[in-house]
């Protein structure tokens, strides 16, 4: 949840610069191509295609828009159903609701907070047109199990990989399992350009249509490649290609992706090492990364024993000038979620985690001394927890 405008000594997020952003943006301006589909867009797409080892990546204006493109490519229509975790950002469901689909909410596993693959099969009906695993915190969902079920029922899988760029599941990159996957480069993510995203196309059958959907339903991409001598309206679509100015910014980040990951790994490990014992002794859950997953180091969260404890810890940190935040409100209990049939108790793990989860400050430039302050503040919250135990 977004905080009020109070300024904090240690904020929750600071968009990090990798170094060459402004130079590349200036290059894009000087080159005279600041609109979409310019050279920086092509460079970013090529880097992503190479690292992910996928047939095609298309930059988009956001992960939300990449999800909307996925809904268009899968021909989602009124009456269709899509299976989405209730514990996710609105866009995972909204992009499909926009096409008239009904989101069917699935609960999460209590350990990784990812979609509970054991509940998937029971939610599939003849109307199911997609399943959307979200790799929460950049830790892979149980893709072998999910793909097995989805294949058996011929349900396309779209990975919402907003958190998990470059992470791996059983040695294979997240975002390369579903027929389509989506990425976010919003300023709160690991690799950023302000607002941005990408559609990862793993099934080549979607490439040609995806290019048209992104270019307002036209075959303009073919025109740019010299494959046709004029472009025209061929399909439905919208304006989903980012300005090359943003791609220039993004390219500067992508070329330093290893350093960025290393910085974030240090921060994650520091929290983990220093909060492990405290968590164990106070019934607090910290992130679980299964052995077969290599995570993206996107965030560090704690799941407190109760809503009161979570709120009190946020207030305690705030009193020390530290901003900690929470998310997501269960989608099945939102106004829209209820209109789609959501009810209290439908996704009990989501409901508990949503009440109790708190995210600690996490950004590339978070210094070790700032992080020690955060850890120290958390450890000094013991007094409150002990007190509530005695009186509870
Ligand atoms: C899981 C998930 N999916 C999608 C999005 C939307 O990303 P964007 O802001 O790039 O549209 C977010 C944003 O935080 C997210 O957390």
């Amino acid at each position: 949840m977004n905080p009020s405008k109070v300024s904090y000594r240690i904020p929750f997020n600071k968009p990090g610069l990798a170094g060459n952003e402004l130079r590349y943006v200036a290059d894009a301006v000087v080159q005279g191509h600041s609109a979409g589909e310019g050279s920086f867009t092509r460079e970013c797409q090529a880097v992503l295609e190479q690292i992910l080892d996928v047939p095609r990546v298309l930059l988009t204006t956001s992960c939300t828009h990449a999800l909307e493109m996925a809904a268009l490519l899968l021909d989602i229509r009124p009456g269709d159903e899509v299976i989405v975790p209730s514990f996710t950002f609105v866009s995972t469901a909204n992009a499909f609701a926009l096409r008239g689909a009904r989101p069917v909410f699935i609960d999460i596993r209590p350990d990784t907070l990812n979609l509970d693959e054991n509940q998937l099969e029971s939610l599939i009906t003849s109307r199911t047109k997609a399943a959307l695993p979200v790799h929460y915190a950049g830790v892979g969902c149980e893709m072998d199990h999910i793909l097995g079920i989805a294949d058996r029922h011929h349900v396309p899988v779209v990975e919402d990989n907003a958190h998990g760029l470059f992470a791996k599941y059983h040695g294979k990159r997240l975002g390369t399992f579903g027929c389509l996957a989506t990425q976010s480069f919003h300023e709160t993510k690991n690799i950023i350009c302000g607002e941005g995203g990408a559609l990862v196309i793993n099934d080549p059958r979607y490439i040609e249509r995806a290019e048209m959907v992104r270019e307002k339903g036209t075959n303009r991409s073919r025109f740019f490649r010299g494959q046709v001598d004029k472009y025209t309206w061929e399909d439905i679509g919208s304006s989903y290609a980012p300005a090359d100015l943003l791609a220039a910014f993004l390219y500067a980040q992508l070329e330093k992706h290893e350093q960025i990951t290393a910085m974030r790994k240090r921060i994650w490990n520091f929290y983990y090492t220093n909060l492990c014992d405290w968590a164990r002794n106070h019934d607090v859950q910290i992130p679980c990364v299964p052995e077969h997953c290599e995570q993206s180091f996107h965030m560090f969260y704690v799941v407190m024993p109760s809503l009161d404890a979570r709120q009190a810890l946020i207030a305690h940190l705030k009193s020390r000038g530290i901003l900690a935040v929470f998310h997501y409100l269960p989608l099945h209990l939102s106004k829209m979620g209820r209109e789609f049939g959501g009810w209290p108790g439908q996704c009990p793990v989501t409901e508990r985690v949503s009440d109790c989860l708190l995210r600690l400050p996490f950004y590339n430039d978070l210094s070790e001394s700032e992080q020690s302050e955060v850890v120290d503040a958390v450890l000094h919250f013991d007094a409150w927890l002990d007190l509530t135990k005695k009186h509870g």
Side-chain angles (χ1 to χ4, degrees):
M1 289 290 98
N2 227 345
S4 58
K5 293 271 178 235
V6 189
S7 71
Y8 288 79
R9 229 166 11 83
I10 304 183
F12 169 67
N13 180 53
K14 266 192 212 170
L17 288 182
N20 284 329
E21 285 86 349
L22 296 181
R23 188 152 73 80
Y24 292 167
V25 170
D27 288 349
V29 173
V30 171
Q31 279 169 22
H33 186 112
S34 52
E37 297 249 44
S39 58
F40 281 108
T41 299
R42 287 194 295 277
E43 295 282 359
C44 288
Q45 292 176 170
V47 168
L48 290 167
E49 282 160 11
Q50 190 254 318
I51 299 175
L52 300 177
D53 192 20
V54 295
R56 194 83 171 100
V57 172
L58 295 176
L59 291 194
T60 58
T61 29
S62 62
C63 181
T64 300
H65 280 168
L67 287 160
E68 287 181 21
M69 285 182 65
L72 284 161
L73 291 169
L74 294 180
D75 271 327
I76 300 295
R77 287 164 198 274
D80 290 346
E81 292 176 356
V82 294
I83 300 176
V84 293
S86 176
F87 191 66
T88 181
F89 192 70
V90 203
S91 302
T92 321
N94 185 66
F96 291 80
L98 259 181
R99 310 302 316 153
R102 186 171 83 86
V104 172
F105 299 109
I106 184 168
D107 207 358
I108 49 171
R109 296 167 55 113
D111 54 359
T112 57
L113 314 188
N114 278 331
L115 167 162
D116 184 348
E117 65 282 357
N118 290 315
Q119 299 186 22
L120 182 59
E121 194 146 29
S122 65
L123 297 175
I124 294 179
T125 70
S126 56
R127 291 181 297 279
T128 308
K129 292 293 166 353
L132 278 110
V134 175
H135 303 297
Y136 182 70
V139 175
C141 294
E142 287 307 318
M143 292 312 295
D144 288 345
H145 197 131
I146 292 169
L147 290 177
I149 295 169
D151 284 352
R152 235 182 0 263
H153 294 272
H154 309 291
V155 171
V157 170
V158 178
E159 300 169 72
D160 179 338
N161 195 29
H163 302 177
L165 184 61
F166 304 139
K168 292 181 182 169
Y169 168 82
H170 281 303
K172 186 167 154 41
R173 303 272 184 197
L174 300 186
T176 65
F177 292 89
C179 58
L180 300 166
T182 62
Q183 302 294 158
S184 175
F185 302 119
H186 183 265
E187 69 167 21
T188 50
K189 300 301 185 293
N190 294 17
I191 302 287
I192 61 173
C193 67
E195 297 264 4
L199 181 71
V200 179
I201 305 172
N202 297 311
D203 182 338
R205 282 176 299 180
Y206 292 106
I207 295 177
E208 198 175 338
R209 245 197 105 208
E211 288 183 346
M212 290 196 278
V213 164
R214 190 176 68 147
E215 277 290 1
K216 299 99 177 164
T218 73
N219 55 351
R220 196 174 179 193
S221 300
R222 289 172 66 78
F223 172 68
F224 280 147
R225 288 197 294 265
Q227 293 165 321
V228 287
D229 60 2
K230 53 186 176 307
Y231 70 89
T232 180
W233 188 21
E234 301 247 322
D235 203 327
I236 54 169
S238 193
S239 185
Y240 293 128
D244 220 44
L245 296 175
L246 287 176
F249 192 109
L250 183 64
Y251 188 69
Q253 296 260 316
L254 283 173
E255 67 180 7
K256 293 282 167 59
H257 77 93
E258 280 171 352
Q259 290 92 323
I260 291 173
T261 304
M263 285 191 265
R264 300 184 74 94
K265 182 175 179 182
R266 180 195 63 72
I267 294 165
W268 197 94
N269 284 341
F270 189 92
Y271 277 140
Y272 191 83
T273 313
N274 288 289
L275 293 177
C276 237
D277 290 345
W278 171 82
R280 194 174 326 108
N281 295 334
H282 294 92
D283 202 15
V284 172
Q285 180 183 339
I286 53 177
C288 156
V289 184
E291 272 197 1
H292 53 275
C293 292
E294 285 169 48
Q295 59 153 325
S296 62
F297 306 102
H298 175 51
M299 67 167 90
F300 195 91
Y301 63 81
V302 297
V303 183
M304 299 297 285
S306 68
L307 171 63
D308 284 349
R310 197 269 303 274
Q311 295 305 85
L313 179 53
I314 290 177
H316 169 75
L317 293 172
K318 183 177 174 184
S319 74
R320 293 182 173 218
I322 299 165
L323 177 59
V325 303
F326 62 90
H327 74 173
Y328 298 108
L329 295 181
L331 286 183
H332 69 284
L333 297 181
S334 64
K335 177 172 172 290
M336 284 295 287
R338 283 173 194 260
E339 282 175 23
F340 283 117
W343 42 275
Q346 185 186 3
C347 300
V349 183
T350 297
E351 289 171 34
R352 177 181 60 79
V353 167
S354 171
D355 277 351
C356 301
L357 182 140
L358 171 153
R359 294 172 64 187
L360 294 174
F362 204 116
Y363 46 89
N364 305 349
D365 297 338
L366 185 63
S367 69
E368 210 158 295
S369 70
E370 285 169 323
Q371 227 193 334
S372 300
E373 269 192 62
V374 179
V375 166
D376 187 62
V378 173
L379 297 180
H380 280 91
F381 185 61
D382 277 9
W384 190 91
L385 282 175
D386 291 344
L387 207 66
T388 48
K389 254 192 208 149
K390 264 183 226 135
H391 295 287

